[in-house]
Amino acid sequence: MVTTPWDNEFTQRVKAQFGDDLKEAASYLGQNFFVAKPESVIGLIEFLRDEEEFDYLVDITAVHWPKREDSQFDLVYVLYSFARNERIRVKTMLRDGDRVRTAVDVHPTANWLEREVYDMFGIQFIGHPDLKRILMPEEWTGFPLRKELGITAMDNRWVQENLGIESGQ
């Protein structure tokens, strides 16, 4: 992924506030993003809401990179500012098993979004009020959007017991 530096008065204010906790401010195909350390990502989102008018949490998602050695997951928050009519992304990188603080206290809409990320990727959010599966059955084993297993190797037991078919049919 070839990025270009994102540098303007706005990014300078954010960099001044977060220093070394902000690892990158860049743009990729016209999409601006920050990369923050996991322990600072919620503080950054709160700062962007309170000081820079990014008042709407559009989405939270993740990407699994199983072969990447230092961090297997990108956790991505998509923010929007109605006042600026601007969308940005805030990203942090996590190792398998790392946990990050919930964003529910900053944006209540994070509740179901974090549950979906947990359900699909297994990423846990510290302090989440009700972190449980939201899409998959409670008995499901594993996390469907991780890339360790192909779709036909997903929870064969559950599929056979509940649907009476071989997985992947």
Side-chain angles (χ1 to χ4, degrees):
M1 180 168 99
V2 179
T3 63
T4 57
W6 178 30
D7 188 32
N8 57 29
E9 289 180 22
F10 167 59
T11 61
Q12 290 303 315
R13 287 192 303 273
V14 175
K15 288 175 184 177
Q17 181 71 27
F18 287 90
D20 291 340
D21 286 347
L22 193 67
K23 298 167 75 175
E24 185 178 7
S27 185
Y28 176 70
L29 296 176
Q31 299 177 17
N32 297 324
F33 65 92
F34 292 110
V35 179
K37 292 182 179 178
E39 60 272 15
S40 301
V41 71
I42 301 304
L44 173 56
I45 291 167
E46 190 169 23
F47 173 83
L48 291 169
R49 181 197 65 190
D50 295 345
E51 303 298 328
E52 299 294 340
E53 300 182 293
F54 283 90
D55 46 4
Y56 176 44
L57 176 64
V58 176
D59 199 9
I60 305 172
T61 191
V63 181
H64 185 210
W65 303 96
K67 294 180 182 177
R68 193 165 66 188
E69 291 185 26
D70 57 340
S71 55
Q72 291 75 44
F73 295 94
D74 290 346
L75 182 61
V76 182
Y77 300 82
V78 181
L79 303 172
Y80 181 75
S81 169
F82 288 98
R84 297 169 177 255
N85 188 26
E86 185 178 351
R87 181 184 311 256
I88 61 171
R89 286 152 182 79
V90 175
K91 181 168 72 170
T92 194
M93 298 174 177
L94 304 171
R95 294 181 311 268
D96 193 7
D98 282 355
R99 298 169 12 148
V100 66
R101 193 176 116 213
T102 184
V104 171
D105 298 334
V106 180
H107 291 284
T109 55
N111 189 322
W112 282 23
L113 300 171
E114 288 178 352
R115 285 179 59 193
E116 182 178 348
V117 169
Y118 165 72
D119 198 6
M120 295 290 107
F121 294 94
I123 296 171
Q124 296 192 18
F125 296 87
I126 300 166
H128 189 282
D130 190 27
L131 193 61
K132 63 182 181 181
R133 290 198 181 272
I134 192 168
L135 298 172
M136 302 304 294
E138 287 294 327
E139 313 82 45
W140 189 266
T141 303
F143 306 100
L145 292 183
R146 286 188 176 207
K147 296 176 184 171
E148 295 132 339
L149 300 174
I151 190 70
T152 57
M154 294 283 172
D155 199 342
N156 284 318
R157 178 199 51 80
W158 187 93
V159 171
Q160 289 172 350
E161 289 175 6
N162 293 279
L163 301 178
I165 61 172
E166 293 295 318
S167 182
Q169 280 186 333

